[in-house]
Amino acid sequence: QQQVKQSPQSLIVQKGGISIINCAYENTAFDYFPWYQQFPGKGPALLIAIRPDVSEKKEGRFTISFNKSAKQFSLHIMDSQPGDSATYFCAAEETSGSRLTFGEGTQLTVNP
Amino acid sequence: DTAVSQTPKYLVTQMGNDKSIKCEQNLGHDTMYWYKQDSKKFLKIMFSYNNKELIINETVPNRFSPKSPDKAHLNLHINSLELGDSAVYFCASSQDAGWGREQFFGPGTRLTVL
C-alpha cells in the first residue's frame, strides 16, 4: 500500500518551461513534506521542504505548494534547465519523526 | 571530504553468497539509515539506528542484519543472497532521529546477484 502517491512517473519539458510534479497522501499524521533530487549514479539530496502550517514555500526557481485539506502537495520548477534533469522524490514524515515515506519518483528530462 | 561514504560502490556476486556493505559518515550525526532502491527507483527504508541503537526495523528478511559499531558507522550484512536482493542500497544519516531532519545520502552500492 503506497502511502505517498506521486505523478507523473516521467516528465519531459523544454528549457525555460515549468515542471510540475504532484504528490498525494492519505496519512493525516504526516506533517513534514520534503522533496529530494537524485542525479544518475548519486544518492538523493534534499531540495526543499515544507511544513503544513504554510501553503507555499519558494527557494529560487523551486516552489512547493501545499493543500492540507486535499492532502496534496506539488513541486514547481520555474525556468527549467537541462541541469535540472534528475529524478525527483516527494516524501512525508510523521511528527514521531525519523521515518521518511517516499513517493515513487518522477524522472524529469529538460530538453535544451 | 565525502560526508557519507559507502564501500563498495559495485558488488556482483552469486546467489547463496554472504556479503557486507560498509557505511561511514563524518558529519557527527547520531542517526543512520539503510534504504533499498529497486529497479523502478522506489526508495524504501530498511533500518535506522540512533546512537548505535536500532530504532526502525522494517519488514526485511532476517537474512539482512545491520550492525553499528559506533555512531559514525553502519554496516549491512546480507546472508544467502537471492536474485531479488539485486538493487541499489543507500546509507544515509541525519543529525538525530527528530522530526523534520534532513537526511544525507551516500553514493549508493549497486548489488547484482547472479
Side-chain angles (χ1 to χ4, degrees):
Chain A
Q1 180 183 352
Q2 184 61 26
Q3 290 200 55
V4 179
K5 293 187 188 298
Q6 183 172 346
S7 62
Q9 190 174 4
S10 62
L11 181 61
I12 300 174
V13 173
Q14 291 299 119
K15 179 182 175 183
I18 302 173
S19 304
I20 302 174
I21 304 170
N22 300 298
C23 285
Y25 63 97
E26 290 297 326
N27 185 350
T28 54
F30 286 149
D31 58 4
Y32 171 66
F33 303 90
W35 285 87
Y36 279 75
Q37 179 188 54
Q38 183 180 24
F39 291 106
K42 306 290 185 185
L46 180 66
L47 182 65
I48 187 173
I50 196 168
R51 291 174 167 81
D53 52 341
V54 296
S55 59
E56 185 174 282
K57 183 173 181 181
K58 184 175 181 178
E59 289 183 3
R61 295 183 295 108
F62 301 89
T63 300
I64 301 178
S65 297
F66 184 80
N67 185 330
K68 189 172 182 177
S69 60
K71 291 184 284 187
Q72 295 175 348
F73 58 111
S74 59
L75 176 69
H76 295 235
I77 306 174
M78 309 300 287
D79 187 25
S80 298
Q81 299 296 312
D84 296 331
S85 297
T87 300
Y88 292 81
F89 294 93
C90 62
E93 184 181 50
E94 297 181 17
T95 310
S96 53
S98 81
R99 183 195 303 264
L100 280 177
T101 299
F102 284 90
E104 300 95 326
T106 296
Q107 186 159 336
L108 172 66
T109 302
V110 182
N111 288 326
Chain B
D1 267 351
T2 304
V4 182
S5 58
Q6 295 178 227
T7 53
K9 187 165 177 63
Y10 300 97
L11 190 50
V12 181
T13 188
Q14 299 287 331
M15 263 197 320
N17 284 350
D18 303 338
K19 290 294 178 186
S20 291
I21 306 172
K22 296 187 175 184
C23 178
E24 176 181 2
Q25 54 95 3
N26 63 7
L27 298 168
H29 287 169
D30 286 346
T31 307
M32 296 184 73
Y33 312 81
W34 277 112
Y35 285 88
K36 180 180 180 180
Q37 186 171 50
D38 63 23
S39 58
K40 295 184 178 179
K41 294 202 170 180
F42 183 61
L43 264 172
K44 191 173 190 318
I45 191 167
M46 300 173 69
F47 303 103
S48 175
Y49 272 75
N50 186 56
N51 280 320
K52 300 195 299 176
E53 181 182 340
L54 181 67
I55 57 171
I56 294 174
N57 184 351
E58 288 295 289
T59 48
V60 176
N62 57 17
R63 298 182 295 103
F64 290 79
S65 52
K67 280 188 173 53
S68 181
D70 55 58
K71 283 195 328 181
H73 296 85
L74 180 61
N75 303 323
L76 182 65
H77 188 77
I78 315 170
N79 288 327
S80 303
L81 278 155
E82 300 178 357
L83 293 176
D85 297 332
S86 295
V88 180
Y89 292 84
F90 287 100
C91 176
S93 72
S94 63
Q95 180 182 344
D96 53 46
W99 170 77
R101 297 288 187 258
E102 177 178 359
Q103 293 189 17
F104 294 80
F105 284 77
T109 295
R110 182 175 293 275
L111 171 65
T112 303
V113 182
L114 303 175

